[in-house]
Amino acid sequence: MDHFELKNGVMHAEDVSMPRIAEEVGTPVYVYSRATLERHARVFREALGDVPDKLIAFAVKSNPNLAVLRVLSQQGYGADVVSGGEMRRALAAGMAPGDIVFSGVGKTRVELSDALDAGIGQFNIESEEEGAELAELATDKGIRAACALRVNPDVDAGTHDKISTGKADNKFGVPIRDAAPIFGRLAGLAGLNMRGVAVHIGSQLGDLAPLEAAFGKLAALVRELRDAGHTITHVDLGGGLGVPYMRGEKPPAPAEYGAMVARVTKGWDVKLIFEPGRVIAGNAGVLLTRVVRVKRGINDPFVIVDAAMNDLARPALYGAYHDFAAVEPGGDAMRANIVGPICETGDTFAMGRECDLLAAGDLAVFRTAGAYGATMASSYNSRGFVPEVLVDGDRYAVVADRIEAGAIMDAERVPQWLL
């Protein structure tokens, strides 16, 4: 459920009309609903009600906007971060350092040092080499870093190849067959408190079976580590639960996921960490756009909108589907190709899509754009970055300014020897 609905024939975000936002802020613009964020955060937390000891750490990469993070911080969420920049955002949004988990395969020495200084709750170590470097830094600071070893369970999540992270040939974690000896060697380093293990097999998962298979392998590893004398107090189960992008799609509900987790992890006697992202933010946002013109095509007309692949990259990157709907539908429909203004064919949102009848100047939205939307934007074709708006009931605020192309150019310099 989300809070983007028609009221008197006009789409609203909660109680704010989309035409009002378009008039006052301009298009394209990302629009987020606080009520939807809070509802999804609550539903996910309640789904884990049978898990006695847990930390829910929002995957900041899915939507790092400070206002969004602040909403989730107020809901008691921590943060899963994969860069120093994301860590700073989580801290700035009010998330407790102890509730921040630092994941990611390429943490730099500076990032590791800064995270130690910030006192974050856990490092998810992706390799033995990373662990050795972290141990050295922690020892120099006179502290011990709380760590989990991320393992690659060689489980196919059944998702898009580019967002799969748990197959044997993916870059994340250590092979599960090598995990126990690596864990043992890292546990012997003075600067590390090796307290657990972590797994994450991919994003936009539509089936719980791969997750359950991965968790089963993790349970066996926990038993092996404990039999070897290690104390295991934390297990990070990652995230990846999918959301419906297309009408009729029915990914597992949080309640189904929570029931599976409670059943599979019963008796583990650990604190479980979860890293939801898309399932919290995806349907809490839309990309509001305006039709530039409708162009005749060989088969179907082209509806050219002012949003582009630099604003919403998922369709170009993954062939991803986003529902496209008129803000003020008149009841008639058309079949069209939905495209943006960027100068390459990849700037295509949909081909041969059945949609509301649209004409130049009309407003429309790409739904389910609250995750992996603005955060993946670029300035390709010397386009600026679109603003972001957070709606709260009958009010809204611009929570990220539009960055015009000229401001980006102002940060560039022509050297004197070219003048």
Side-chain angles (χ1 to χ4, degrees), residues 59-335:
V60 173
K61 62 180 174 290
S62 65
N63 189 323
N65 183 277
L66 287 174
V68 169
L69 298 182
R70 182 66 176 174
V71 169
L72 297 175
S73 173
Q74 292 174 344
Q75 291 293 310
Y77 276 47
D80 165 57
V81 305
V82 295
S83 72
E86 287 189 353
M87 180 189 74
R88 287 190 290 274
R89 283 178 172 271
L91 292 169
M95 289 164 167
D99 291 339
I100 296 176
V101 177
F102 202 152
S103 304
V105 71
K107 308 178 193 72
T108 68
R109 191 175 184 87
V110 170
E111 288 176 325
L112 292 172
S113 180
D114 288 348
L116 286 169
D117 292 341
I120 69 158
Q122 179 170 294
F123 293 84
N124 283 353
I125 295 176
E126 299 264 359
S127 66
E128 188 169 1
E129 294 82 357
E130 178 190 317
E133 189 168 8
L134 177 61
E136 177 191 342
L137 289 166
T139 300
D140 289 345
K141 295 175 184 289
I143 57 179
R144 295 180 73 211
C147 299
L149 179 64
R150 179 170 176 174
V151 301
N152 186 323
D154 192 19
V155 170
D156 187 348
T159 189
H160 193 286
D161 283 346
K162 291 184 180 179
I163 51 176
S164 170
T165 58
K167 293 191 291 186
D169 57 353
N170 292 145
K171 68 181 181 179
F172 298 94
V174 302
I176 196 163
R177 67 177 183 275
D178 301 329
I182 291 174
F183 190 101
R185 290 192 291 271
L186 291 175
L189 300 179
L192 302 184
N193 171 20
M194 295 299 298
R195 67 183 193 179
V197 290
V199 70
H200 178 71
I201 64 171
S203 187
Q204 185 54 16
L205 305 181
D207 184 1
L208 293 180
L211 283 171
E212 185 166 350
F215 298 165
K217 291 187 176 186
L218 211 57
L221 176 60
V222 169
R223 288 193 296 270
E224 181 180 359
L225 292 172
R226 284 174 169 166
D227 288 346
H230 299 292
T231 300
I232 305 299
T233 59
H234 291 69
V235 173
D236 188 332
L237 296 181
L241 204 59
V243 299
Y245 282 93
M246 189 182 301
R247 291 185 182 90
E249 284 185 335
K250 292 186 177 180
E256 297 175 82
Y257 171 76
M260 181 273 287
V261 168
R263 172 174 52 81
V264 170
T265 64
K266 187 176 181 179
W268 284 17
D269 190 25
V270 295
K271 182 169 189 171
L272 292 177
I273 300 173
F274 301 89
E275 303 171 1
R278 189 190 315 263
V279 72
I280 304 297
N283 285 316
V286 300
L287 176 58
L288 176 60
T289 186
R290 190 179 295 275
V291 177
V292 176
R293 65 181 56 89
V294 178
K295 172 184 172 181
R296 183 180 302 171
I298 296 296
N299 296 309
D300 300 314
F302 290 90
V303 173
I304 305 168
V305 298
D306 60 3
M309 63 184 285
N310 72 299
D311 306 312
L312 179 61
R314 296 186 69 255
L317 281 178
Y318 313 130
Y321 181 100
H322 283 268
D323 192 25
F324 182 70
V327 165
E328 300 183 65
D332 294 324
M334 67 187 300
R335 177 185 165 99

Side-chain angles (χ1 to χ4, degrees), residues 336-358:
N337 306 318
I338 316 301
V339 301
I342 278 182
C343 191
E344 67 168 78
T345 302
D347 187 23
T348 298
F349 295 106
M351 293 293 289
R353 175 77 62 86
E354 295 290 334
C355 64
D356 298 313
L357 183 65
L358 290 161

